[in-house]
Amino acid sequence: MSPQDLDDWLGRAADGYGTPSYVYFADCIAQRIDALRRAFKGRFTLSYAVKCNPNPALLTWLSGHVDLLDVSSIGEFNLAVAAGWNPVLISFTGPAKRDFEIGEAIRGDVGLLVVESLREARLANAVA
């Protein structure tokens, strides 16, 4: 899609839906994902940080386009699972996770829990 086509489409979306509106061009996102995969020649898996944009429709679309998701709250974890993501493909990172979040993530089969303190490690061990 040319820059002019994008501008025209965005203008029609603004006229039809008002502003502010969020518009995603899945083809453009897919092209960027493909470019990353080509540039790194399969040496890495792609993980999307849900905190960048937790839009449920986007999370659903990303399944099959990126390899993993990274969440930083149990709310993001739950959004990802509701969007169809297998919990084992989700990592839960970030400091100051609350006790109930760690417990819920482990019970929800989160794929990777990154513990950031002894408190988190002890709690994860007790839950597991």
Side-chain angles (χ1 to χ4, degrees), residues 2 14 17 50 52 65 73 116:
S2 73
Y17 300 106
V50 174
C52 292
H65 288 63
S73 73
E116 314 245 356

Side-chain angles (χ1 to χ4, degrees), residues 10-28:
L10 288 171
R12 288 191 304 276
D15 291 343
Y17 300 106
T19 60
S21 293
Y22 293 95
V23 178
Y24 304 95
F25 294 97
D27 290 346
C28 295

Side-chain angles (χ1 to χ4, degrees), residues 1-125:
M1 189 176 291
S2 73
Q4 184 60 51
D5 290 338
L6 289 173
D7 287 347
D8 292 344
W9 205 100
L10 288 171
R12 288 191 304 276
D15 291 343
Y17 300 106
T19 60
S21 293
Y22 293 95
V23 178
Y24 304 95
F25 294 97
D27 290 346
C28 295
I29 298 169
Q31 288 171 2
R32 291 179 182 155
I33 290 170
D34 291 342
L36 282 170
R37 290 192 189 282
R38 282 192 312 275
F40 290 104
K41 299 177 180 150
R43 292 178 290 200
F44 302 100
T45 56
L46 292 180
S47 181
Y48 177 77
V50 174
K51 65 184 164 191
C52 292
N53 186 338
N55 180 294
L58 179 61
L59 295 179
T60 299
W61 182 86
L62 284 168
S63 180
H65 288 63
V66 298
D67 306 300
L68 307 165
L69 289 183
D70 181 70
V71 301
S72 57
S73 73
I74 201 63
E76 291 177 0
F77 177 80
N78 290 332
L79 278 173
V81 171
W85 277 84
N86 183 337
V88 301
L89 299 176
I90 301 172
S91 61
F92 189 2
T93 62
K97 292 176 213 66
R98 296 170 287 180
D99 293 1
F100 83 91
E101 291 182 301
I102 291 171
E104 192 172 328
I106 291 171
R107 286 186 293 279
D109 293 328
V110 69
L112 177 67
L113 176 68
V114 177
V115 295
E116 314 245 356
S117 67
L118 285 174
R119 180 195 67 78
E120 288 184 3
R122 289 181 182 120
L123 179 61
N125 185 55

